[in-house]
Amino acid sequence: MTGDMEMHPLFLTIANINSDVRMKTTSHAWACVAYTPTPEFLVHPDFQSVLEARVWHRCVDIVCAGLKIAARTGTFMSDPNNLTRYCFTPLAAYIADLPEQLMIACVTKSVSLITLAEQSQFGDAVLYLPRHGELTLQKLAQLCDKLDPWKLQAFLEEAKKQYLSGVQLPFWRNWQFSDPSMFLLGELLHSGHKLFNDHPFKWCKELLGADELDAHYRVQHKRVSTRHFDGVLRAKQMTGREHRDIQRTIVATIAGFCHIHTFPSRNSGLTLACLTSP
């Protein structure tokens, strides 16, 4: 009614629905349970993001209060056969992009949100210990005992030293069996399709040349169940579906132009691949 409103929708589903059923719009397997606000505060820009994150955690805390009680003590629910079951509701998975996952885990972008690895250690062939929620809560408790969380400048300075974002009350703190290192998962759009577009697809453009790769896609014969692109460089909008369809045909598209050489890595024992022109 007022216009110029922005909200953050929160969708909820249960984990025992088959993925094929869940992804059909007509199945209505997802329920929009809340619209959380995205306010703008009249403060210094350095404090805007942390205040927004605190509001978001507080809203989700209120919305999920009943689920937390059911996760701890259980509740009776009806199944599709109209039988009453005694159920528990732990947080199994939270689907979000990387910035939102960092906000949920209450850590800065200079560390991993699911392991104890720091930014300088990203890419190491080392399996680091998981960043359990209990460790984050312990750091927050010690920090809150030392400083008032609402003295933002001092609190944020100390929080960043411990790689914390400045949110003092995560919504998952009293949700039994809920650990960010377990329920925060890499979703397919960004960790799969977007990853392909940002890295391997760019390598193919460099190898073949952008115009040559575009021409290869234009001259492909149309085939049932295979997406035909009238060029991939001038597409108006590239969504996850387009990225997925390009992945399906990229090997056939560059075949004959490149040779793939493999050689073992000295340290990791992995096999590396190198694309070269014939």
Side-chain angles (χ1 to χ4, degrees):
M1 297 296 290
T2 58
D4 195 25
M5 298 292 292
E6 294 183 0
M7 291 172 289
H8 190 123
L10 181 66
F11 293 89
L12 182 70
T13 187
I14 56 177
N16 60 351
I17 300 178
N18 186 278
S19 59
D20 294 335
V21 177
R22 191 197 310 277
M23 294 308 297
K24 291 181 180 178
T25 306
T26 55
S27 298
H28 302 289
W30 293 88
C32 184
V33 296
Y35 289 103
T36 60
T38 56
E40 294 185 6
F41 297 91
L42 300 178
V43 295
H44 192 276
D46 293 344
F47 306 139
Q48 178 70 29
S49 59
V50 66
L51 290 177
E52 289 182 358
R54 289 184 179 185
V55 169
W56 184 87
H57 275 273
R58 178 56 179 158
C59 291
V60 178
D61 205 4
I62 295 172
V63 171
C64 298
L67 295 175
K68 294 180 182 181
I69 296 175
R72 184 170 59 253
T73 62
T75 186
F76 288 99
M77 298 182 182
S78 299
D79 67 4
N81 296 323
N82 203 26
L83 299 176
T84 301
R85 307 282 187 178
Y86 193 58
C87 303
F88 295 83
T89 56
L91 180 55
Y94 198 109
I95 302 174
D97 58 6
L98 181 59
E100 187 175 352
Q101 288 186 346
L102 291 170
M103 179 189 69
I104 294 171
C106 301
V107 297
T108 61
K109 61 181 179 181
S110 58
V111 296
S112 170
L113 54 92
I114 59 174
T115 70
L116 296 179
E118 299 179 6
Q119 191 170 22
S120 60
Q121 300 167 324
F122 290 175
D124 292 352
V126 178
L127 183 61
Y128 291 93
L129 294 174
R131 184 178 297 276
H132 290 300
E134 293 181 359
L135 176 62
T136 302
L137 294 177
Q138 289 176 3
K139 291 182 178 181
L140 285 173
Q142 295 172 0
L143 189 59
C144 291
D145 290 339
K146 181 179 179 182
L147 294 171
D148 183 358
W150 292 105
K151 294 182 178 179
L152 289 177
Q153 186 171 359
F155 189 81
L156 284 179
E157 289 178 358
E158 290 297 323
K160 289 181 179 179
K161 292 179 181 179
Q162 302 185 41
Y163 305 111
L164 299 175
S165 64
V167 175
Q168 82 280 27
L169 294 174
F171 78 89
W172 43 265
R173 68 190 184 282
N174 52 358
W175 199 331
Q176 194 169 14
F177 306 120
S178 297
D179 192 328
S181 64
M182 298 180 63
F183 67 71
L184 289 177
L185 307 172
E187 39 83 31
L188 184 59
L189 175 61
H190 293 86
S191 61
H193 300 320
K194 290 288 187 181
L195 176 67
F196 165 80
N197 184 72
D198 292 340
H199 299 287
F201 193 53
K202 287 185 178 179
W203 302 339
C204 294
K205 290 180 183 179
E206 290 291 332
L207 184 63
L208 274 74
D211 294 334
E212 181 70 18
L213 181 63
D214 201 48
H216 281 212
Y217 272 99
R218 285 201 301 268
V219 299
Q220 285 180 358
H221 293 287
K222 294 184 179 180
R223 182 182 177 88
V224 177
S225 75
T226 301
R227 176 77 174 272
H228 181 269
F229 290 92
D230 187 18
V232 293
L233 300 181
R234 300 172 183 82
K236 295 182 179 179
Q237 185 178 10
M238 294 291 285
T239 64
R241 187 178 296 275
E242 279 71 30
H243 295 326
R244 182 199 63 185
D245 292 337
I246 292 175
Q247 291 174 59
R248 290 176 170 176
T249 56
I250 187 64
V251 174
T253 301
I254 65 177
F257 190 86
C258 310
H259 295 300
I260 299 179
H261 302 284
T262 60
F263 54 93
S265 175
R266 294 180 179 177
N267 299 325
S268 63
L270 302 176
T271 299
L272 307 180
C274 177
L275 292 176
T276 60
S277 299

